[in-house]
Amino acid sequence: MTRNLRRWSLVFLIPGLALYLYVVIVPSAQVVNYGFYEWSPGQASTFVGLGNYVAMFQDQAFLDALGHTFVLLIGALIIQIPLGFFFAVLLQRSLWGRGFFQTVYFIPVILSSAVIAVLWRQVYANDFGLLNTILRAVGLDSLTRAWLGDTETALNAVVVVVGWQYVGLYMLIFLSAMQRIPPIIYEAGALDGATGWKQLRHLTMPMLFDTFKLSLILVATGAVQYFNLILAMTAGGPANSSSVLASYMFEKAFDESRLGFASAVATVMLVLNLIIAVGLQRAFRREPLELG
């Protein structure tokens, strides 16, 4: 009976596996292969081996984009996971207007990047932007500037928006995980004096260990690929001060028509994502908790 069940399970997995190979694995392998060629639309490809990778790591613009990507990654980790968890803890309680706040926090996730870019460009505007208006109102005129037009602030200004956009997503992930914790665990903890902060620290957070791990992997791998909002807000500028790997790849592929070089950049992003995902999996590996 068990053998037949396993056999039928494998049969039903085959269509999904075939689709995954066709949609994910085969295109990824093609991108890796293209990275060894120098080619442009309408021209014959030339095999250059590791030439694209050597040129890439000798390009200061690539190194800057790589550094900016890590800044974006760290910023997203600092903003999205702590705030998402904090709002989930607040909404886990019997709070008035809980459904309303859930919706409000989640709205940025479903808004298009173009809409968010327009909204935050207004906030960061030099003359009439909300941020500079507030700074002038409290007497901090010296801090006002064109936040997206200054090479010293453009990247950090974008990181704040990227972090803000997905706080609602991680709030929902943490909230749904909290609601799966059996109430009897809290009741038993209360008998031992675990209430308030002790309950959060010694019961809730350990029970959400796998959720934290999943969120870390999603945030980190998502930050490496992040692109559309940055393109809409700054297009990587000014002077490449807010460029990231994805925008660098876009520039090489569609502005300079160097598709082989762009494929090599995409391969580096793929390898970086694999290293991050596997590294985090290993760093946070532990035996699963048994409930009940």
Side-chain angles (χ1 to χ4, degrees):
M1 180 67 182
T2 304
R3 180 176 295 179
N4 286 336
L5 184 61
R6 289 178 178 172
R7 187 177 300 164
W8 279 109
S9 298
L10 290 175
V11 170
F12 285 115
L13 283 174
I14 288 175
L17 177 62
L19 181 64
Y20 183 77
L21 287 172
Y22 182 73
V23 174
V24 177
I25 301 300
V26 172
S28 298
Q30 288 177 330
V31 167
V32 174
N33 180 50
Y34 293 156
F36 296 112
Y37 291 84
E38 183 62 54
W39 65 288
S40 301
Q43 297 181 1
S45 60
T46 304
F47 182 76
V48 295
L50 296 176
N52 285 330
Y53 294 94
V54 174
M56 184 193 314
F57 282 95
Q58 291 177 340
D59 185 358
Q60 185 59 44
F62 168 78
L63 298 177
D64 290 342
L66 183 63
H68 298 160
T69 299
F70 279 107
V71 172
L72 177 63
L73 188 158
I74 294 170
L77 287 174
I78 292 174
I79 296 173
Q80 292 174 1
I81 292 182
L83 282 182
F85 179 70
F86 174 72
F87 289 132
V89 170
L90 290 181
L91 294 175
Q92 171 71 359
R93 304 172 186 275
S94 299
L95 184 70
W96 178 86
R98 175 176 164 179
F100 169 76
F101 286 110
Q102 282 186 31
T103 304
V104 168
Y105 292 142
F106 193 72
I107 283 177
V109 181
I110 59 176
L111 287 177
S112 74
S113 295
V115 172
I116 292 176
V118 171
L119 170 67
W120 280 90
R121 287 179 71 90
Q122 300 297 317
V123 173
Y124 285 136
N126 187 24
D127 297 328
F128 55 86
L130 177 63
L131 180 55
N132 282 343
T133 301
I134 292 174
L135 289 174
R136 292 188 188 101
V138 297
L140 297 175
D141 300 58
S142 60
L143 297 180
T144 60
R145 64 189 67 198
W147 296 92
L148 296 177
D150 190 322
T151 55
E152 295 184 358
T153 58
L155 179 62
N156 291 332
V158 170
V159 168
V160 169
V161 182
V162 172
W164 166 83
Q165 184 180 9
Y166 288 105
V167 166
L169 174 63
Y170 293 99
M171 175 204 70
L172 278 188
I173 291 175
F174 283 119
L175 189 58
S176 62
M178 288 178 185
Q179 290 172 346
R180 292 200 303 272
I181 299 176
I184 192 172
I185 291 180
Y186 290 125
E187 293 169 3
L191 293 176
D192 292 332
T195 57
W197 166 247
K198 289 183 178 179
Q199 183 186 82
L200 181 68
R201 180 183 176 188
H202 297 295
L203 296 178
T204 303
M205 294 180 72
M207 298 295 290
L208 296 183
F209 181 85
D210 290 334
T211 306
F212 276 108
K213 183 172 74 174
L214 171 66
S215 300
L216 280 172
I217 293 173
L218 290 177
V219 171
T221 55
V224 173
Q225 305 171 69
Y226 210 81
F227 167 63
N228 49 357
L229 183 59
I230 294 175
L231 179 69
M233 289 187 71
T234 64
N240 289 329
S241 61
S242 62
S243 66
V244 292
L245 287 179
S247 61
Y248 178 81
M249 179 188 67
F250 182 89
E251 177 187 338
K252 296 300 176 183
F254 299 104
D255 293 346
E256 301 179 13
S257 297
R258 299 179 63 186
L259 298 184
F261 191 95
S263 298
V265 179
T267 302
V268 170
M269 294 170 61
L270 175 65
V271 172
L272 194 56
N273 266 334
L274 288 174
I275 292 173
I276 291 172
V278 174
L280 288 174
Q281 283 279 7
R282 288 183 174 274
F284 292 94
R285 184 168 51 189
R286 73 167 190 179
E287 295 296 324
L289 290 174
E290 296 289 341
L291 299 180

